[in-house]
Amino acid sequence: MSFIYTIFLGAAVGMKRMEHLNIDFLLKRLPPGLQKVLRLVVAAGTALFLFFVVREGIGFVRDSYSQTTTYLNLPMSYCYAAIPGSGLIMLYYLVKRTCTSLRTAGATDAEAEGGYP
C-alpha cells in the first residue's frame, strides 16, 4: 500500500517540480507567440487527462470498497484512493504553474517560479 502511494504522490511531486518528460524540440523552433499558444494547448490537454484520471479514479475507489486486502483486511479502496488524490494534486500544480506563466509573459518557467533561468 505504501508503494502505491509513493508512486502516485511521487508523480505529483514531479508535476510540481516540472521534472516529467518534456520534449521541446518543436517548441524551441517556434516564435515566442506560438510557443505560448503551444504551452497552453499542452496544459489544456494535460488538464483534460487529469480530469479523466480523477473522475475515473473516484469511480474505481467506489467500486473497490467491497474488496479487502488479504493480510490487513482493509478495503482496497484505501489503496486506490491514491489515484484521484494524486490527480487532484497534479491538477492543482498544473493550474498554478499555468497561471504563473500567463502572468509573467516574457519570463521563463524557472524565472516565473523564482528560480534561476
Side-chain angles (χ1 to χ4, degrees), residues 4 23 37 48 57 72 75 80 82 98-99 101 107:
I4 293 169
I23 301 172
V37 170
L48 184 66
L72 299 175
Y80 299 139
T98 303
C99 290
S101 69

Side-chain angles (χ1 to χ4, degrees), residues 30-97:
L30 293 174
L34 286 177
Q35 285 182 8
K36 187 174 182 178
V37 170
L38 187 58
R39 286 181 196 269
L40 287 175
V41 168
V42 169
T46 305
L48 184 66
F49 173 74
L50 289 173
F51 276 125
F52 175 78
V53 167
V54 170
R55 187 187 72 191
E56 294 301 315
I58 289 170
F60 196 57
V61 169
R62 281 190 205 142
D63 292 343
S64 64
Y65 190 75
S66 61
Q67 300 172 356
T68 58
T69 59
T70 305
Y71 294 105
L72 299 175
N73 203 25
L74 294 172
M76 286 297 293
S77 59
Y78 291 179
C79 295
Y80 299 139
I83 298 169
S86 66
L88 285 172
I89 295 169
M90 285 189 275
L91 193 57
Y92 166 75
Y93 286 127
L94 177 68
V95 168
K96 181 180 174 184
R97 180 168 298 273

Side-chain angles (χ1 to χ4, degrees), residues 2 11 19 29 31 41 59 83 88 95 98 102 104 114 116:
S2 297
E19 292 181 352
R29 287 170 172 42
V41 168
I83 298 169
L88 285 172
V95 168
T98 303
L102 287 175
T104 58
Y116 298 104

